[in-house]
Amino acid sequence: GVARAFGDKSLKKHLTSEPDVSIETTDDDTDLIILAGDEAVDAIKGIKDARSATKHLTEEAVKRNKKDDISII
């Protein structure tokens, strides 16, 4: 809904399409890189295995009846 609202003139004072960008340096000590909301990060924070983390996120999305824009690699 928010993405579709970017073009809605009446919401321009409340929404921005300007991305929140940060640059992070990764190295061998980097545990994970996640492009997602805080809830997704919190859900897998303690899971060290990437396959287990993706499985957990997928199962959580299905459990919450999410049907749109679910991509986990």
Side-chain angles (χ1 to χ4, degrees):
V2 172
R4 288 185 288 278
F6 286 148
D8 189 333
K9 187 176 180 180
S10 67
L11 294 175
K12 288 293 185 192
K13 61 186 173 200
H14 302 291
L15 296 174
T16 178
S17 58
E18 189 67 30
D20 181 18
V21 177
S22 64
I23 298 172
E24 301 291 332
T25 303
T26 61
D27 58 25
D28 291 340
D29 294 327
T30 302
D31 290 329
L32 61 96
I33 299 172
I34 184 168
L35 304 173
D38 293 342
E39 288 182 54
V41 174
D42 291 343
I44 64 163
K45 196 95 175 176
I47 303 173
K48 295 294 183 188
D49 176 63
R51 188 177 306 268
S52 296
T54 57
K55 183 177 180 184
H56 180 75
L57 284 175
T58 303
E59 290 170 350
E60 189 65 27
V62 171
K63 184 172 94 177
R64 293 180 183 205
N65 292 318
K66 304 294 183 185
K67 295 176 173 55
D68 189 31
D69 298 330
I70 300 170
S71 298
I72 303 171
I73 300 171

